């Protein structure tokens, strides 16, 4: 039945109205019996009168007649019938001794009256329903609300507009505090700001109990049209629902839309504090063989539940502000062991054959060991079910083919320069005008590799004509340039780290797009300049002389560290690098980089290729990435990590706090001894020859332990090993 039209009344069955067929004849017979009077009038003949007088005169006759009636149950009417002449037909007479045999025609008349009343009522309801459908055509039924907004009698367009007017300000000004469970809320009530300038991501996550989120943080928006349509459809599924809507009213509970990536990021942050990771069954490829890796259920925040909670707070409060206590729930694995085994079997069948690449008269074979390095998996959702798909990293295929092509001098003369323009980064190739179409070969790899069959699959490709100038993405697709290396570091996204994160983003924007010509050097300080307040840099956490402090531009060392690791993995020569004052476990051992413009502490490296190299920076709410692009030399880099050596011991600093009670003290910052370590970087060319080897030595200062105490409080400054420590009071 169309939602915008009146329902067609159902016709009642004929058996409930007038009788028909065989039933009609039976009903008629019963009606005739039931309509007889209690004492039918029978006019006796003369002979009968005489017989009657004789019966009255004979007492024995009366006794015999009474006895006969009593024994046989035959009514007096039967006796009357027996006395009638034989030619007069017998009539069916109903006994008047049964009270239930009240006039049947009266009962039938009452029944017809009831049926007529019911039919009239039904007709009235149908007419009312039809009138209701006509008057509410294209309009929402009365007594329907969306949240607190009464949208009854409105069109969907009018309702959507009313919804935006009612909730628009609340969503725009939304500010919700999300706690990691009730314990997180209790802990946040007494917690101080987390100083994380040189703490690892894991350390900070373990101390974070609350997150302040806005509409922008979660990408909240009002799906007003969807809510209005849901309100319009309310009451239109049938007469009963329509009556319920009219009598009791219905409220459509609205849920704000959200950016699912941003929502998941928040859920991940909460999971780091109170959840247990879910590990899906998967596959790992090693030595050309795929094997199943075990999975386990997790206990995680459900993003959909979190979205509902935040939505209820924002929409339920006029200022869009409030609190949400997040909870974790069971998170079963998405991929089962059997699904992972099926994927492993498919990959192993492919790797057993390997794959050939044919370019002209040349053929290059990638065996299972090589092709196995290209394989990765992806979980794909389809109508609520999940699949584990094995895929091929196309860039890795290009990385396999390009050295073979370069070895045979097919593109040895193709070099590039970069230029930053208003239209983006432009790439200018010079040298040969054509090159092998490795992009086409990479695209064909997955279908060929995973096809069923016993024979080794082959991919054939030819040349592609190079334009004189191309966009950055076009140059990547042609294979003219490639990503030489990339590195990502993480940071936390909390109320207390917003200033630091802002500095990271600003610095990344300052240096992205840096072009380093062949043989030239790149300097962080020269490229980014000083981190001053007039540039937008904020005061953020840092460590000065082993104690947590703040300074404008705090957090920039993480950007420098990210760039250093990308340069390190590419095999470029690093001319200057300094380690942080304190060891940070989030970074690879001995591979952090500190910078300071005022003291000229810098990061400097050299482009050792024959083409330009461009640095591209990117960031999210909790990661920053440095990537180098150009014509790769395909170096291989290894790292040998030495043993840790003991460094300077930390001091215990006691700080008196008048707000604390006498005799009370606590450790505000845990102390860590200093340490030293060396790593050795070795760079190999494609033939396995050593290009160079470099040692990086890092000396980390101790991190002083800070103890806060109330007035006139004695603090024990002895360590567990009973070593005497230096203590100072501030």
């Amino acid at each position: 039945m169309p939602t915008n039209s009146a329902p067609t009344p159902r016709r009642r069955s004929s058996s409930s109205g007038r009788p028909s067929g065989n039933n009609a004849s039976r009903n008629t017979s019963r009606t005739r019996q039931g309509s007889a009077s209690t004492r039918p009038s029978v006019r006796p003949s003369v002979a009968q009168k005489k017989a009657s007088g004789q019966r009255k005169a004979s007492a024995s006759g009366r006794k015999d007649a009474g006895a006969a009636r009593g024994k046989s149950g035959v009514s007096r009417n039967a006796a009357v019938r027996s006395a009638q002449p034989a030619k007069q037909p017998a009539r069916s007479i109903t006994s008047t001794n049964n009270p239930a045999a009240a006039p049947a025609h009266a009962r039938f008349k009452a029944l017809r009256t009831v049926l007529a009343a019911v039919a009239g009522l039904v007709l009235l309801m149908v007419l009312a329903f039809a009138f209701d459908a006509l008057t509410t055509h294209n309009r929402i039924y009365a007594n329907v609300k969306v949240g607190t907004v009464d949208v009854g009698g409105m069109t969907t367009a009018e309702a959507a507009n009313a919804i935006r007017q009612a909730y628009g300000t609340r969503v725009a000004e939304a500010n919700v505090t999300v706690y990691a469970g009730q314990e997180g809320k209790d802990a946040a009530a007494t917690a101080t700001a987390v100083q994380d300038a040189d703490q690892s991501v894991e350390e900070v996550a373990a101390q974070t109990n609350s997150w302040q989120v806005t509409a922008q943080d979660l990408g909240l928006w009002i799906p007003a049209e969807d809510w209005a349509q849901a309100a319009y459809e309310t009451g239109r599924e049938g007469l009963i629902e329509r009556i319920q809507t009219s009598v009791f009213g219905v409220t459509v509970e609205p849920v704000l839309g959200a950016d699912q990536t941003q929502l998941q990021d928040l859920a991940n942050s909460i999971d780091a504090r109170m959840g247990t990771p879910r590990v899906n069954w998967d596959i790992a490829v090693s030595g050309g063989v795929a094997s199943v890796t075990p999975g386990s259920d997790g206990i995680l925040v459900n993003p959909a539940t979190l979205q509902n909670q935040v939505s209820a707070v924002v929409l339920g409060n006029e200022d869009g502000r409030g609190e949400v206590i997040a909870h974790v729930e069971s998170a079963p694995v998405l991929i089962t062991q059997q699904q992972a085994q099926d994927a492993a079997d498919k990959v192993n069948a492919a790797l057993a054959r390997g794959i050939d690449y044919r370019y002209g008269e040349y053929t290059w074979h990638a065996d299972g060991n090589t092709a196995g390095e290209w394989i990765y998996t992806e979980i794909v959702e389809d109508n609520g079910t999940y699949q584990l798909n094995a895929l091929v990293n196309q860039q890795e295929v290009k990385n396999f083919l390009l050295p073979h092509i370069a070895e045979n001098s097919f593109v040895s003369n193709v070099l590039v320069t970069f230029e930053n323009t208003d239209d983006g980064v432009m790439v200018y190739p010079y040298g040969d005008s054509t090159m092998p179409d490795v992009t086409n070969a990479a695209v064909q790899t997955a279908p060929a590799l995973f096809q069923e069959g016993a024979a080794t699959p082959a991919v054939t490709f030819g040349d592609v004509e190079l334009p004189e100038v191309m966009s950055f993405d076009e140059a990547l697709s042609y294979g003219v340039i490639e990503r030489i290396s990339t590195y990502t570091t993480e940071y936390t996204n909390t109320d207390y780290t917003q200033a630091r994160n802002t500095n990271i983003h600003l610095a990344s924007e300052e240096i992205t797009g840096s072009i380093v010509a062949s043989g030239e050097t790149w300097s962080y300080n020269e490229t980014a300049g000083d981190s001053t307040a007039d540039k937008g840099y904020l005061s953020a956490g840092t460590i000065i002389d082993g104690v947590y402090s703040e300074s404008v531009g705090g957090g920039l060392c993480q950007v420098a560290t990210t760039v250093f690791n990308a340069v390190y993995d590419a095999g470029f020569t690093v001319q200057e690098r300094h380690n942080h004052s304190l060891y940070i476990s989030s970074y690879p051992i001995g591979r952090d980089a500190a910078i300071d413009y005022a003291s000229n502490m810098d990061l400097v490296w050299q482009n050792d290729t024959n083409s330009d190299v461009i640095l591209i920076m990117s960031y999210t709410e909790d990661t920053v990435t440095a990537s180098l692009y150009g014509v790769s030399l395909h170096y291989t880099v290894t790292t040998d990590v030495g043993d840790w050596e003991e460094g300077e011991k930390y001091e215990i600093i006691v700080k008196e706090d008048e707000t604390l009670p006498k005799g009370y003290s606590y450790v505000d910052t845990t102390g860590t001894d200093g340490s030293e370590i060396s790593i050795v970087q070795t760079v190999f060319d494609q033939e396995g020859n050593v290009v160079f080897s470099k040692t990086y030595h890092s000396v980390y200062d101790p991190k002083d332990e800070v103890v806060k105490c109330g007035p006139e409080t004695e603090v024990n400054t002895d360590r567990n090993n009973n070593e005497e420590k230096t203590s100072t009071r501030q």
Side-chain angles (χ1 to χ4, degrees):
M1 179 180 65
T3 57
N4 60 351
S5 62
T8 303
R10 291 183 298 174
R11 296 184 180 274
R12 292 184 176 272
S13 171
S14 61
S15 61
S16 63
R18 295 182 178 180
S20 62
N22 294 331
N23 290 332
S25 62
R26 289 193 296 270
N27 291 341
T28 302
S29 174
R30 288 193 296 269
T31 301
R32 287 175 178 172
Q33 285 184 336
S35 62
S37 63
T38 57
R39 200 76 183 266
S41 175
V42 179
R43 182 174 295 176
S45 63
V46 175
Q48 289 173 331
K49 289 180 179 179
K50 290 181 179 181
S52 177
Q54 292 173 355
R55 283 196 300 275
K56 290 179 181 179
S58 176
S60 61
R62 285 195 303 269
K63 292 180 181 180
D64 292 341
R69 285 194 301 270
K71 293 179 180 179
S72 64
V74 178
S75 68
R76 185 171 51 168
N77 293 329
V80 173
R81 286 196 302 272
S82 64
Q84 291 178 344
K87 64 179 181 179
Q88 185 173 353
R91 300 181 65 184
S92 176
I93 305 300
T94 302
S95 172
T96 60
N97 295 333
N98 185 2
H105 69 282
R107 288 187 288 117
F108 180 64
K109 183 177 180 180
L111 178 61
R112 285 191 299 176
T113 302
V114 172
L115 291 176
V118 171
L121 180 61
V122 170
L123 179 59
L124 182 62
M125 292 176 64
V126 170
L127 291 174
F129 192 65
F131 177 76
D132 177 72
L134 275 174
T135 56
T136 58
H137 179 65
N138 288 333
R139 292 189 175 273
I140 299 170
Y141 286 140
N143 290 343
V144 176
K145 293 182 178 180
V146 174
T148 59
V149 183
D150 188 348
V151 294
M154 298 182 184
T155 65
T156 53
E158 292 169 343
N161 186 53
I163 289 168
R164 290 192 187 91
Q165 290 181 349
Y167 292 125
T169 302
R170 301 185 190 189
V171 176
E173 299 178 354
N175 195 312
V176 180
T177 303
V178 181
Y179 294 104
Q182 185 61 47
E183 293 182 1
K185 181 177 180 179
D186 296 339
T190 58
T192 58
V194 178
Q195 298 286 353
D196 71 327
D198 284 304
Q199 295 186 63
S200 70
V201 172
E202 294 77 15
E203 289 173 331
V204 175
Q207 302 174 57
T208 304
N209 296 300
S210 65
W211 296 262
Q212 203 77 21
V213 295
T214 64
Q216 291 73 28
D217 294 331
L218 295 180
L220 299 179
W221 58 285
I222 301 175
E225 284 75 14
D226 294 341
W227 299 351
Q229 184 62 32
Y232 176 79
E233 294 172 358
T234 299
R236 283 181 157 80
E237 292 185 4
L239 180 60
I240 295 178
E241 184 185 358
R242 175 67 188 99
I243 294 173
Q244 291 175 338
T245 302
S246 177
V247 174
F248 302 106
V250 174
T251 298
V252 176
E253 296 298 336
V255 178
L256 291 171
D259 183 286
Q260 294 305 304
T261 299
Q262 294 172 280
L263 185 68
Q264 186 63 61
D265 288 342
L266 175 60
N268 291 343
S269 298
I270 304 171
D271 290 336
R273 178 67 176 85
M274 59 187 296
T276 301
R278 168 174 53 199
V279 180
N280 287 299
W281 289 85
D282 204 347
I283 66 172
V285 181
S286 178
V289 177
S291 57
V292 173
T293 58
S296 59
D297 296 339
I299 302 176
L300 304 171
V301 173
N302 186 330
T305 301
L306 184 60
Q307 181 177 350
N308 289 340
Q309 288 180 291
V310 172
S311 179
V313 168
V314 173
L315 298 178
N317 295 283
E318 292 185 0
D319 59 0
R321 296 173 176 267
E323 298 177 350
V324 164
I325 298 178
H327 298 284
V328 292
E329 56 189 75
S330 176
V333 293
L334 304 177
I335 301 300
T336 65
Q337 181 178 6
Q338 185 59 54
Q339 288 175 302
Q341 186 62 58
D342 293 341
D345 293 343
K346 178 180 179 180
V347 171
N348 284 328
L351 297 182
R353 300 188 301 266
I355 188 170
D356 290 336
Y357 293 92
R358 296 172 183 169
Y359 173 72
E361 61 183 16
Y362 294 88
T363 298
W364 301 295
H365 178 72
D367 59 17
N369 214 13
T370 300
E373 299 296 324
W374 310 339
I375 305 300
Y376 69 99
T377 58
E378 182 180 69
I379 298 176
V380 179
E381 188 267 340
D382 182 20
N383 293 327
T385 61
Y386 296 87
Q387 298 177 352
L388 184 65
N389 290 349
L391 305 172
V392 171
N393 187 321
Q394 295 185 11
Q395 185 59 50
E396 293 298 327
V397 176
K398 294 179 182 180
N399 293 344
F400 167 75
L401 292 173
L402 288 172
H404 289 290
I405 292 172
E407 180 182 354
N408 292 276
S409 302
F410 296 125
V411 290
S412 59
N413 296 322
V414 176
L415 303 175
V416 299
T417 59
F418 295 100
E419 181 184 5
N420 287 305
T421 71
D422 293 338
D423 295 327
V425 177
M426 306 304 294
V427 182
Y428 298 86
Y430 57 95
D432 292 342
S433 60
T434 63
M435 68 173 294
D437 193 356
V438 294
T439 298
N440 183 29
V443 170
Q444 295 184 62
T445 296
L449 185 63
F450 292 127
Q451 69 180 355
E452 296 182 359
T456 300
V459 170
T460 302
F461 61 101
D463 291 325
V464 61
E465 189 78 19
L466 296 179
E468 295 181 358
V469 61
M470 60 190 79
S471 69
F472 185 83
D473 290 339
E474 288 175 333
L476 279 174
S477 66
Y478 280 119
V480 173
I481 63 171
E482 58 185 296
R483 188 175 64 186
I484 301 172
S485 64
T486 186
Y487 201 84
T488 299
T489 59
E490 297 179 330
Y491 49 86
T492 55
N493 182 27
T494 69
D495 292 344
Y496 311 118
T497 61
Q498 294 307 304
R500 184 173 185 270
N501 297 354
T502 296
N503 294 340
I504 290 174
H505 299 170
L506 286 174
S508 297
E509 292 168 359
E510 288 274 5
I511 65 176
T512 191
S514 302
I515 299 172
V516 188
S518 175
E520 297 296 323
T521 59
W522 182 90
S523 161
Y524 182 94
N525 286 339
E526 291 180 5
T527 305
D530 194 5
S531 54
T532 58
D534 59 350
K535 289 184 177 180
Y537 289 97
L538 304 175
S539 180
T542 185
I543 289 182
I544 300 176
D545 296 331
V547 178
Y548 283 117
S549 182
E550 286 194 357
S551 65
V552 174
L556 301 189
C557 290
Q558 179 159 357
V559 179
T561 295
T562 308
V563 174
F564 169 70
N565 277 276
V567 171
Y568 183 100
D569 287 343
F572 291 124
T573 302
V574 176
Q575 296 182 347
E576 181 180 351
R577 168 260 176 189
H578 305 271
N579 63 270
H580 285 77
S581 60
L582 297 180
Y583 170 67
I584 305 172
S585 61
S586 291
Y587 305 144
I589 296 176
R591 290 173 57 176
D592 57 311
I595 51 95
D596 181 56
Y597 190 87
S599 62
N600 201 29
M601 184 184 293
D602 204 355
L603 171 65
V604 181
W605 58 276
Q606 184 177 25
N607 174 11
D608 300 325
T609 70
N610 295 323
S611 289
D612 286 359
V613 170
I614 188 170
L615 169 65
I616 302 295
M617 301 294 298
S618 61
Y619 56 82
T620 66
E621 291 183 348
D622 50 18
T623 65
V624 59
T625 300
S627 300
L628 299 171
Y629 292 88
V631 178
S632 177
L633 297 177
H634 299 285
Y635 285 159
T636 300
V637 179
T638 63
T639 302
D640 293 324
V641 180
D643 296 328
W644 284 101
E645 300 178 9
E646 292 184 0
E648 183 182 349
K649 302 295 183 181
Y650 70 81
E651 295 183 354
I652 299 178
I653 299 175
V654 179
K655 290 187 176 182
E656 200 170 274
D657 187 344
E658 295 181 354
T659 64
L660 298 176
K662 179 181 178 180
Y664 177 79
S665 66
Y666 69 94
V667 176
D668 186 54
T669 302
T670 303
T672 304
D673 288 334
S675 57
E676 299 181 24
I677 196 166
S678 293
I679 64 171
V680 178
Q681 174 198 33
T682 304
V683 180
F684 301 88
D685 63 17
Q686 296 179 59
E687 286 73 34
N689 301 314
V690 176
V691 178
F692 68 85
S693 182
K694 183 179 179 64
T695 299
Y696 295 90
H697 186 68
S698 301
V699 178
Y700 299 104
D701 295 337
K703 182 176 70 173
D704 293 336
E705 182 167 295
V706 179
V707 178
K708 290 188 177 181
C709 65
E712 302 179 20
T713 300
E714 292 295 326
V715 177
N716 183 3
T717 59
D718 291 336
R719 302 175 68 179
N720 292 333
N721 58 7
N722 295 322
E723 294 182 25
E724 183 178 352
K725 296 301 302 173
T726 302
S727 173
T728 60
R729 181 177 293 271
Q730 297 180 354

